[in-house]
Amino acid sequence: FPGQTLDAGPLAGVGHSVGMAIAAQLARPGKQVFVMLGDGGIGVGGMDIETAVRHKLPIVFLVYNNSSWMGIGARQFLFDDEMPSWDMVPGIRYDRMFEAVGCYGEHVEDPADIRPALERAFNSGKTSVINVVVDDRVVHPMMTSPMMGQFLLWRAWDDLNENARRLAEPVFRMLGLIK
């Protein structure tokens, strides 16, 4: 039915999914609500998971944990050779963090363990956090596309390294910032 899947779209909204999941569960009590969010998203909106616990909402959150903002850390050379790391503290156990507020939690490192962990989470009847550790070198193709040039607009063209110029050129040309 329409509205069964809620998505931020291709621009990867960060942190919005926790509130959307709470609203979805309240709108359709008893229906399964599943959220896949990154570690950046849980950093931005994750504390509202406590709201779901407090209201006994059986939402399952799967955290895509690559210890990085969209895998950018592994691709920082595209932006600036000297830029400080955007990576997060590696190995954060979001499952344990949210068990402390009453969630069911699991930690997964083997892809074969994801489905059984999800089944246990749904069967727990509790707000759940499944922390799935993933390879930070695997990123969405968007991360190496010219679209990433929009993130470089805060820099002067002359200050960009060769890799960053390759990404930024279509955006800078479109905006008339270079000829």
Side-chain angles (χ1 to χ4, degrees):
F1 65 89
Q4 186 169 344
T5 300
L6 303 174
D7 189 351
L11 297 179
V14 178
H16 68 286
S17 60
V18 177
M20 290 171 68
I22 291 169
Q25 185 66 81
L26 292 172
R28 308 239 6 213
K31 298 294 182 182
Q32 286 185 331
V33 176
F34 169 76
V35 174
M36 182 172 164
L37 72 163
D39 45 5
I42 206 164
V44 171
M47 285 315 297
D48 278 331
I49 291 173
E50 183 274 338
T51 301
V53 170
R54 197 166 1 105
H55 293 280
K56 297 179 176 40
L57 302 176
I59 302 166
V60 175
F61 296 93
L62 184 145
V63 181
Y64 180 93
N65 189 344
N66 62 358
S67 300
S68 179
W69 284 93
M70 294 173 50
I72 291 173
R75 309 278 178 297
Q76 278 179 243
F77 70 91
L78 296 173
F79 297 98
D80 187 330
D81 298 324
E82 315 256 334
M83 183 180 284
S85 175
W86 289 8
D87 284 347
M88 297 174 187
V89 174
I92 295 175
R93 292 289 303 266
Y94 296 103
D95 56 315
R96 288 185 180 160
M97 287 174 62
F98 289 97
E99 283 175 341
V101 297
C103 284
Y104 173 82
E106 285 204 38
H107 180 75
V108 175
E109 293 187 23
D110 182 343
D113 295 334
I114 294 172
R115 184 183 182 107
L118 287 170
E119 289 173 355
R120 287 187 292 273
F122 279 114
N123 289 332
S124 76
K126 296 174 73 174
T127 307
S128 302
V129 174
I130 309 300
N131 185 55
V132 179
V133 178
V134 297
D135 187 340
D136 72 339
R137 295 169 297 173
V138 178
V139 297
H140 191 282
M142 176 188 81
M143 294 305 300
T144 57
S145 77
M147 184 181 142
M148 285 305 294
Q150 69 180 321
F151 295 110
L152 299 167
L153 289 172
W154 61 276
R155 305 277 310 280
W157 179 258
D158 292 338
D159 292 338
L160 299 177
N161 69 22
E162 183 180 330
N163 291 312
R165 283 184 179 191
R166 182 179 51 75
L167 286 175
E169 184 175 4
V171 175
F172 276 63
R173 282 195 193 288
M174 178 183 71
L175 296 173
L177 299 173
I178 59 171
K179 295 184 186 213

